[in-house]
Amino acid sequence: MSGAISIYRKIRRFLFSNLNKQFLIFLFFVLLSGVFWLFMTLNDTYEKEIKIPVHVTNVPRNVMLTSASDDSIRVTVRDKGWIILSYLLDSKHLGTIKVNFRNYDKGNGRGKVSSSDTRRMIEQRLDISSKIISIKPEHIEFSYNNGEYKRVPVRWAGRIIPDQLYFISQVVYSPDSIDVYASRQKLDSIQVIYTEALNYVNFSDSLIVDCKLSHPNDVKVVPERISIAFYTDVLTEETIDGVPIQCINLPEGKVLRTFPAKARIHFVAGANRIRSLRPEDFTVIADYQEIMQEHSDKCNIYLQTVPHGISRATLNVQQVDYLIEEE
């Protein structure tokens, strides 16, 4: 107890010494001048753009809004600084503009609140002294349909570039398709929905991204966000032997024999992909019609198909010896 009293006396002595008394008096007048300056500043007239939320209400059960049901309207207001400050600090002061669907439905999937009604709704939320300079947009619009939708796949958009020694071995979307609500004309034109522009570079570990979907105006997508997993693998150069050389356009009763009968292919792929590859996954061909046209001692061979996930695939030779026999 005595220790606390001793500390209190020391603090009291420090605060009320002659030097500190002068400092406290100075601080008091600084604060007083600051309050006076703030009062004078807020008493001036300013123009400021504020946002007022808009919400469409009383939507029938069989109707799906294809425009945002919760949006906002930007209003430039002129008034005293302290009034403007109250608009900015207290969002409840202005509230939300509620648009009754039934009152403003114009039919044909469109609804519109006239510019005069929009201004009236805003004025009801402002102080009497406030003057509206501009409204953007000048009127409120919404769109809808009667539940028509289609399910379409989603695809990523943007720059997804892994580190130089890696490549993207697999992309997994969750979900891989979404429901699109729009007018019949727009539904017919939409075949895929892309994500917002993604930008991820120089990564090596698998990347999981939660992103928004990008879509045209007057189109609603459900859900509006998806998760995408980009799985990476290490790039490896590899060679596979024993790929059979097949002949195309071969007439009945003819047999084409090539020497060698099987090809070797060089390619680049991920380490995990290489372990599952077999020679039968590749297709190497020779064309009988081309052989008949060229009449050469050697025939050309071509790499026709390669498995998914393989890049820079090349044959070790482009020509081989051949023999055509009768069956």
Side-chain angles (χ1 to χ4, degrees):
M1 185 69 179
S2 60
I5 295 174
S6 174
I7 294 172
Y8 168 74
R9 287 175 179 173
K10 287 180 181 179
I11 294 174
R12 186 172 180 276
R13 223 180 288 122
F14 173 77
L15 290 176
F16 291 98
S17 63
N18 288 334
L19 180 62
N20 286 319
K21 280 182 181 179
Q22 294 177 10
F23 174 74
L24 290 173
I25 292 171
F26 171 77
L27 184 61
F28 170 76
F29 280 107
V30 168
L31 292 174
L32 185 63
S33 61
V35 171
F36 181 74
W37 172 84
L38 181 62
F39 178 80
M40 294 295 294
T41 300
L42 292 178
N43 203 44
D44 288 341
T45 300
Y46 297 91
E47 289 184 8
K48 185 68 177 178
E49 183 180 89
I50 58 177
K51 287 186 178 182
I52 303 177
V54 176
H55 180 67
V56 181
T57 62
N58 295 326
V59 180
R61 290 185 178 181
N62 64 328
V63 167
M64 172 64 72
L65 290 175
T66 54
S67 58
S69 59
D70 290 284
D71 208 339
S72 60
I73 195 163
R74 304 190 308 278
V75 184
T76 301
V77 177
R78 178 186 296 162
D79 207 335
K80 299 291 185 182
W82 57 276
I83 297 292
I84 299 293
L85 187 63
S86 70
Y87 293 154
L88 298 175
L89 296 180
D90 185 8
S91 58
K92 294 181 180 179
H93 184 91
L94 295 175
T96 300
I97 296 176
K98 295 184 178 181
V99 177
N100 191 314
F101 178 92
R102 301 181 187 278
N103 293 343
Y104 295 99
D105 176 22
K106 304 300 181 182
N108 297 321
R110 309 290 301 181
K112 180 178 179 179
V113 181
S114 66
S115 56
S116 59
D117 280 359
T118 300
R119 175 176 285 268
R120 176 180 54 80
M121 292 176 177
I122 295 171
E123 288 175 342
Q124 291 174 352
R125 286 159 173 75
L126 299 176
D127 283 28
I128 298 176
S129 58
S130 298
K131 181 180 179 181
I132 297 175
I133 304 302
S134 67
I135 301 173
K136 297 177 183 179
E138 294 183 352
H139 50 261
I140 301 169
E141 289 185 313
F142 59 88
S143 59
Y144 66 92
N145 73 6
N146 294 316
E148 293 182 328
Y149 75 97
K150 68 187 285 189
R151 196 159 184 83
V152 299
V154 292
R155 294 291 182 268
W156 66 271
R159 295 173 68 240
I160 303 293
I161 305 174
D163 188 75
Q164 188 174 3
L165 298 177
Y166 293 80
F167 80 109
I168 298 172
S169 60
Q170 187 180 15
V171 180
V172 177
Y173 299 87
S174 182
D176 60 359
S177 56
I178 50 95
D179 293 332
V180 178
Y181 294 83
S183 65
R184 174 52 55 188
Q185 182 179 4
K186 285 192 174 183
L187 284 178
D188 291 340
S189 66
I190 297 174
Q191 304 303 323
V192 64
I193 291 291
Y194 289 94
T195 67
E196 61 186 348
L198 305 178
N199 187 21
Y200 296 91
V201 297
N202 297 328
F203 60 93
S204 57
D205 294 332
S206 295
L207 175 68
I208 298 178
V209 179
D210 180 69
C211 56
K212 292 176 61 178
L213 295 174
S214 177
H215 54 84
N217 293 331
D218 298 335
V219 172
K220 183 178 180 63
V221 296
V222 180
E224 295 183 347
R225 303 184 69 91
I226 65 167
S227 176
I228 309 177
F230 298 92
Y231 293 103
T232 58
D233 199 355
V234 180
L235 281 173
T236 304
E237 289 191 18
E238 189 57 82
T239 299
I240 191 166
D241 290 313
V243 179
I245 300 175
Q246 305 173 30
C247 185
I248 62 172
N249 300 318
L250 188 67
E252 290 186 13
K254 301 281 187 180
V255 175
L256 175 69
R257 302 189 187 279
T258 61
F259 306 94
K262 297 182 179 181
R264 173 183 294 178
I265 300 173
H266 301 281
F267 60 90
V268 174
N272 293 330
R273 186 71 181 95
I274 289 172
R275 285 193 286 269
S276 64
L277 288 176
R278 300 175 303 166
E280 295 77 15
D281 296 329
F282 297 81
T283 304
V284 177
I285 62 165
D287 190 344
Y288 177 84
Q289 292 183 356
E290 180 184 302
I291 294 172
M292 292 296 98
Q293 291 174 0
E294 295 189 356
H295 301 288
S296 173
D297 293 337
K298 294 182 180 290
C299 68
N300 297 320
I301 59 174
Y302 304 95
L303 181 58
Q304 186 179 53
T305 60
V306 297
H308 175 71
I310 302 300
S311 62
R312 301 202 292 271
T314 58
L315 290 163
N316 67 322
V317 294
Q318 306 297 320
Q319 291 184 324
V320 295
D321 294 323
Y322 71 93
L323 179 65
I324 297 175
E325 297 179 346
E326 299 283 346
E327 284 187 329

